[in-house]
């Protein structure tokens, strides 16, 4: 079953084409990794899916329903999507528990008791026991990013979008956040993520998509993309990544 389908997606800013006719399909329980150089359009693509950016042309479908239709209720769509950015975006004046339960209580109308029970279960599942009453500035960067993932999961999203969630972390903190993503994959969570962690991408992805200058140049299984890419631009990109020691 197709959870997400993107057809001919185009987006420009001030006359500069950022996305040039993207076609992509994500099936239930699939993990799709978007790779490419900075400025290739990866983050803009995720922002379009979450309707944070208005598309110029093309269509996006979530479980068969076009969400780019102007008549669609944007808030209703976002209830079914979870998104985590590289900046944690936690509310600094709220405890971890309040950060996690805010959307379930205010948007999904879950009772405080039920929301808090679910939040504590998720915190325990991702190694954050005892942090419910802490404030964000009392946590490490890795812990804050894990809380951000837990907050996204607390709304039980149909699709989880992850935008370079390890890029702002020190190397030793990256490992703990990537462990959370492995756990989510094991549970069958459908995810689309942008990442510069090529080894992790090769391990976790079902499908890898290489974007370059707003074009989806190549997509396929990770083993093929990383060992025998068909397109010269893909080979060039991966060679530069290898030479830089980021693989």
């Amino acid at each position: 079953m197709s959870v997400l389908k993107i057809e001919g997606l185009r987006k420009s800013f001030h006359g500069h084409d950022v996305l040039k006719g993207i076609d992509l399909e994500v099936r239930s329980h699939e993990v799709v990794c978007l790779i490419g150089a900075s400025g290739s359009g990866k983050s803009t693509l995720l922002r379009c899916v979450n309707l944070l950016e208005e598309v110029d042309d093309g269509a996006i479908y979530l479980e068969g329903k076009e969400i780019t239709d102007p008549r669609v209720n944007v808030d209703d769509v976002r209830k079914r999507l979870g998104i985590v950015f590289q900046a944690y975006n936690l509310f600094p004046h709220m405890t971890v528990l309040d950060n996690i339960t805010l959307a379930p209580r205010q948007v999904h109308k879950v009772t405080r008791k039920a929301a808090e029970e679910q939040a504590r279960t998720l915190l325990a599942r991702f190694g954050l026991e005892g942090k419910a009453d802490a404030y964000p500035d009392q946590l490490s960067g890795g812990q804050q990013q894990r809380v951000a993932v837990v907050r996204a999961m607390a709304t039980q999203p149909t699709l989880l979008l992850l935008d370079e969630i390890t890029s702002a972390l020190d190397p030793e903190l990256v490992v703990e956040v990537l462990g959370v993503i492995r756990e989510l994959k094991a549970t069958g969570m459908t995810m689309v993520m942008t990442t510069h962690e090529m080894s992790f991408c090769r391990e976790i992805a079902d499908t890898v998509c290489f974007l370059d200058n707003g074009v989806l140049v190549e997509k396929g299984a990770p083993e093929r993309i990383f060992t025998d890419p068909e397109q010269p631009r893909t080979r060039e990109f991966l060679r530069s990544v290898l030479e830089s020691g980021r693989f």
Side-chain angles (χ1 to χ4, degrees), residues 23 43 59 68 92 95 97 100 124 126 135 140 143-144 148 155-156 162-163 165 169 181 191 209 217 228 239:
D23 295 310
S43 295
T68 43
T95 65
L97 189 64
I100 295 169
F126 294 120
Y135 286 88
S140 70
Q143 289 172 331
Q144 290 188 60
T155 59
Q156 301 179 3
L162 304 169
D163 189 17
I165 64 170
L169 300 177
I181 307 307
M191 294 181 277
C209 299
V217 175
D228 190 26
R239 187 181 306 116

Side-chain angles (χ1 to χ4, degrees), residues 184-221:
L184 292 175
K185 179 179 173 66
T187 63
M189 187 71 219
T190 307
M191 294 181 277
V192 179
M193 60 185 295
T194 69
T195 183
H196 289 298
E197 302 286 340
M198 296 298 148
S199 295
F200 182 70
C201 173
R202 186 170 183 170
E203 169 199 339
I204 204 79
D206 297 300
T207 301
V208 177
C209 299
F210 170 58
L211 275 72
D212 182 57
N213 195 29
V215 176
L216 205 170
V217 175
E218 187 167 0
K219 60 184 174 183

Side-chain angles (χ1 to χ4, degrees), residues 92-164:
H93 64 290
M94 292 184 177
T95 65
V96 165
L97 189 64
D98 287 339
N99 265 282
I100 295 169
T101 60
L102 181 63
R105 291 191 292 109
Q106 296 295 323
V107 178
H108 294 267
K109 307 305 179 185
V110 176
T111 66
R112 176 180 288 274
K113 180 181 179 181
E116 291 186 353
E117 286 178 354
Q118 178 185 234
R120 292 182 189 278
T121 298
L122 288 169
L123 287 170
R125 176 176 157 192
F126 294 120
L128 292 163
E129 302 94 332
K131 300 299 183 182
D133 296 324
Y135 286 88
D137 64 1
Q138 297 173 313
L139 305 177
S140 70
Q143 289 172 331
Q144 290 188 60
Q145 193 60 289
R146 279 187 284 160
V147 170
V149 173
V150 168
R151 180 175 62 178
M153 291 303 299
T155 59
Q156 301 179 3
T158 299
L159 174 66
L160 184 61
L161 309 172
L162 304 169
D163 189 17
E164 299 288 0

